[in-house]
Amino acid sequence: MTRRETDHVTSEVIKQQNEIIERIRQNNENEYQKTGRMKYYRVITYGCQQNNSDSEKLKGMLRLMGYNQTENNEEADVILFNTCCVRENAEMKLYGNIGALKGLKKKKPDLIIGVCGCMMQQKHAVDMIKEKYSHVDLIFGTHNIYKFPEIFEKALHEKYTLIDILDTDGFIVENIPVERDEKHKAWVTIMYGCNNFCSYCIVPYVRGRERSRNPEDIIEEIRSLSQDGCKEVMLLGQNVNSYGKDLKIGFDFADLLYKINSIDGIERIRFMTSHPKDLSDKLIKAMCECSKVCEHLHLPFQAGSNKILKLMNRKYTKEEYLEKVNKIKEAIPGIALTTDIIVGFPGETTEDFEETLDVVRKVRFDQAFTFIYSKREGTAAAKMMDVISEEEKRNNFNRLVEVQNQISREINESYKDNIYEVLVDGPSKTNKNMLTGRTRTGKVVNFKGEAKIGELVNVKINEVHSFSLNGEIVINNQS
Ligand code: 5AD
Ligand code: SF4
């Protein structure tokens, strides 16, 4: 039996980091006694939910050091950028935002500016920051977040840009302090890294190989979340369907779902992302049998043409994908399906693209996240050649969005006049007199009525849009 050998490392490393946290907290406290001024941090997160989850850890540590959260750069004593490199536009946005802080750093030389996350695992990005953005104080990667207190403390005393990047996959460190943005819902990372090497994707290079957390650590975390009032967990991993393979203890993702399903207080279980090649019959059965697992599956198909799927190294065909979708629709009637699609992969002709549209029309996804292919240096696809113009790609992309929006709207129409269970997220951002929440199928619902955050309510849908539904509470489940 192999288990992740984290316990020893965890307690030692965390103990050391906690001592540093306490030292910094003490300093901040002393300064507060002298000046009466509190200290603030701002963490700016780009990219996926994994990054958001990492940011919650950074925030947790900063909070224990005595910093309060702010969304205002002028007020901040620490500004951290947690970066994404999946597509080029996220990178461009980052450089713009770091550049914009040059003036503030001149005005406030004690301000600590840090850059971390996926982009910093790439040498060219670190070099760029060193060369052009010398006002950055610290740079670290994805594998050493647990060491943030140590890196941060050094940066507090160092004049030059401090760089701490681990090239090898980080081991899993449990019990890092977490500052969660919401109490009733939580992201729970169940595994790190990815082994798939889809030819367009940079993730395996910046997040390393698949490493699963021990089941007991995950269960313990969710139990404690539940005691704190959490109702919904989103299990995170680049490919959750291969959870457990590396542990070699005969315990897989389906087994994990059954365990989590039995935790009192948790009402809903979600997970992402699933790779179609690993979506097993056992998992479909677990989704049916676990009452708390929501009727929603995010199943990226990326492209419809078998030629492109092969070039993408996705390891399934269009026909196999459609077969899996049919199986899951049959097993879980009314399940919402969402997906990711890339348009304009090298070698994709408009004829190939028609196959993508065909999948979209056949499956009828509730929602699709659509991307134009973005070349990532170091990936296999970066060496492949384009065969159509940027304009033709853009045209295809627009056609895809139009077809998908129409389907999303038609599916939402079927919700009208029916009643759905909604988990209340709080006041609606668009209409202050309404509340907002989500159905089990993941639809955003804005509704009238009175309820508390984290409550489950029944909402009757009376108006539909492409991306949200409107309604009003009919019966309060918990009253
Ligand atoms: N270009 C465009 N989209 C990409 N994705 C990943 N890498 C790229 C890339 N190089 C998309 C995929 C993936 C989602 C998270 O981002 O669709 O599923
Ligand atoms: Fe990237 Fe493919 Fe891994 Fe997803 S499964 S993170 S697309 S390599």
Side-chain angles (χ1 to χ4, degrees):
M1 263 191 17
T2 323
R3 268 266 193 289
R4 282 219 171 275
E5 302 296 335
T6 52
D7 291 351
H8 176 71
V9 176
T10 303
S11 51
E12 269 200 3
V13 172
I14 294 293
K15 193 170 154 239
Q16 217 178 11
Q17 301 304 312
N18 283 345
E19 281 166 15
I20 300 174
I21 288 177
E22 178 52 24
R23 209 155 49 223
I24 298 173
R25 191 198 64 75
Q26 197 64 55
N27 276 345
N28 282 337
E29 170 73 27
N30 291 346
E31 265 188 56
Y32 177 72
Q33 296 301 340
K34 274 191 232 148
T35 62
R37 190 189 162 269
M38 304 238 268
K39 293 218 167 163
Y40 291 89
Y41 73 83
R42 178 166 189 217
V43 177
I44 300 154
T45 311
Y46 300 85
C48 66
Q49 283 160 332
Q50 182 59 58
N51 259 18
N52 277 299
S53 168
D54 286 348
S55 286
E56 287 186 342
K57 291 183 180 143
L58 293 167
K59 291 176 188 181
M61 290 184 267
L62 283 162
R63 187 186 159 87
L64 289 182
M65 290 175 198
Y67 293 91
N68 298 290
Q69 187 164 337
T70 177
E71 290 309 316
N72 177 357
N73 286 343
E74 307 280 325
E75 190 175 43
D77 299 279
V78 184
I79 300 177
L80 289 185
F81 293 93
N82 191 1
T83 63
C84 169
C85 58
V86 166
R87 285 170 295 275
E88 194 181 12
N89 47 4
E91 286 196 17
M92 292 306 142
K93 235 184 347 186
L94 173 82
Y95 290 132
N97 289 346
I98 299 179
L101 290 183
K102 245 180 201 160
L104 187 62
K105 176 80 181 175
K106 248 195 199 139
K107 229 170 47 189
K108 271 176 81 171
D110 288 340
L111 168 67
I112 297 281
I113 301 174
V115 189
C116 62
C118 292
M119 225 175 119
M120 296 304 105
Q121 291 295 138
Q122 298 178 292
K123 188 175 175 305
H124 75 89
V126 174
D127 288 346
M128 172 83 149
I129 297 211
K130 273 196 305 190
E131 266 167 43
K132 296 224 165 112
Y133 304 95
S134 56
H135 58 295
V136 168
D137 300 279
L138 74 154
I139 297 175
F140 56 102
T142 53
H143 298 311
N144 50 359
I145 283 186
Y146 67 94
K147 258 177 61 187
F148 172 67
E150 192 179 324
I151 305 167
F152 181 69
E153 189 183 44
K154 278 191 202 146
L156 283 172
H157 305 294
E158 184 66 73
K159 265 201 197 140
Y160 302 98
T161 310
L162 193 112
I163 301 173
D164 197 324
I165 313 276
L166 267 184
D167 280 334
T168 47
D169 303 354
F171 42 82
I172 295 178
V173 178
E174 298 292 346
N175 301 321
I176 301 178
V178 178
E179 172 85 352
R180 300 193 189 263
D181 290 338
E182 294 174 302
K183 264 209 151 176
H184 68 295
K185 291 202 291 198
W187 290 306
V188 176
T189 301
I190 60 165
M191 63 188 300
Y192 299 87
C194 181
N195 288 356
N196 288 316
F197 288 94
C198 300
S199 64
Y200 50 82
C201 186
I202 196 75
V203 168
Y205 302 89
V206 295
R207 291 242 172 221
R209 295 297 70 72
E210 286 174 2
R211 281 112 53 215
S212 304
R213 288 177 68 197
N214 284 331
E216 307 84 60
D217 292 327
I218 299 171
I219 303 295
E220 191 44 46
E221 179 177 354
I222 298 179
R223 268 215 192 95
S224 120
L225 282 167
S226 163
Q227 276 161 12
D228 259 7
C230 179
K231 299 280 180 257
E232 178 179 303
V233 285
M234 167 69 92
L235 310 176
L236 291 182
Q238 304 300 338
N239 178 15
V240 288
N241 300 150
S242 58
Y243 170 80
K245 280 185 188 158
D246 57 314
L247 295 175
K248 299 192 175 63
I249 53 168
F251 187 90
D252 63 13
F253 183 56
D255 298 322
L256 185 67
L257 286 183
Y258 285 104
K259 285 262 185 227
I260 299 173
N261 197 58
S262 68
I263 298 178
D264 285 343
I266 297 297
E267 306 278 357
R268 289 177 169 192
I269 304 168
R270 300 185 186 280
F271 55 86
M272 72 189 301
T273 293
S274 295
H275 194 301
K277 79 174 162 60
D278 298 314
L279 185 78
S280 64
D281 289 350
K282 182 177 172 189
L283 177 63
I284 297 178
K285 187 159 174 265
M287 290 175 72
C288 291
E289 290 180 353
C290 295
S291 59
K292 297 174 182 175
V293 172
C294 289
E295 295 74 27
H296 170 215
L297 181 67
H298 184 64
L299 196 63
F301 80 93
Q302 311 295 3
S305 139
N306 285 336
K307 177 188 97 189
I308 297 302
L309 285 171
K310 199 159 177 69
L311 285 173
M312 286 178 162
N313 192 30
R314 289 291 287 178
K315 301 193 179 81
Y316 54 83
T317 61
K318 174 187 176 188
E319 293 73 26
E320 283 163 350
Y321 182 87
L322 290 173
E323 202 184 305
K324 290 220 170 160
V325 163
N326 283 342
K327 235 186 216 175
I328 194 123
K329 278 185 174 174
E330 238 166 64
I332 309 174
I335 189 169
L337 292 170
T338 55
T339 197
D340 292 345
I341 305 170
I342 298 177
V343 177
F345 184 84
E348 187 181 67
T349 61
T350 294
E351 220 175 16
D352 292 318
F353 169 74
E354 297 295 339
E355 299 278 328
T356 295
L357 276 187
D358 187 45
V359 174
V360 167
R361 290 197 179 106
K362 284 200 167 106
V363 176
R364 295 182 62 78
F365 295 101
D366 288 69
Q367 207 184 339
F369 300 90
T370 48
F371 310 103
I372 289 205
Y373 169 73
S374 167
K375 181 171 162 178
R376 305 286 63 206
E377 275 323 323
T379 61
K383 295 189 198 83
M384 300 178 191
M385 299 294 281
D386 271 347
V387 290
I388 59 172
S389 65
E390 290 305 314
E391 193 191 344
E392 203 171 339
K393 285 186 203 171
R394 178 55 59 195
N395 269 342
N396 290 343
F397 181 83
N398 291 343
R399 274 176 68 204
L400 171 64
V401 171
E402 206 175 294
V403 170
Q404 179 53 48
N405 284 354
Q406 174 70 21
I407 293 171
S408 297
R409 192 174 171 109
E410 283 166 11
I411 294 177
N412 282 357
E413 286 290 346
S414 72
Y415 278 64
K416 198 161 176 213
D417 298 328
N418 294 322
I419 296 170
Y420 295 90
E421 180 200 274
V422 171
L423 179 67
V424 183
D425 283 331
S428 157
K429 286 199 180 90
T430 44
N431 184 340
K432 289 273 176 285
N433 301 320
M434 287 175 115
L435 292 168
T436 189
R438 281 183 191 257
T439 62
R440 284 174 63 97
T441 50
K443 306 272 176 202
V444 174
V445 185
N446 295 310
F447 56 97
K448 287 192 192 125
E450 274 185 33
K452 291 197 204 81
I453 295 179
E455 245 181 280
L456 289 170
V457 293
N458 283 329
V459 175
K460 184 170 182 184
I461 307 302
N462 49 31
E463 200 184 320
V464 305
H465 309 277
S466 288
F467 303 109
S468 65
L469 309 169
N470 281 9
E472 58 188 309
I473 293 183
V474 284
I475 314 155
N476 191 337
N477 284 355
Q478 293 182 350
S479 60

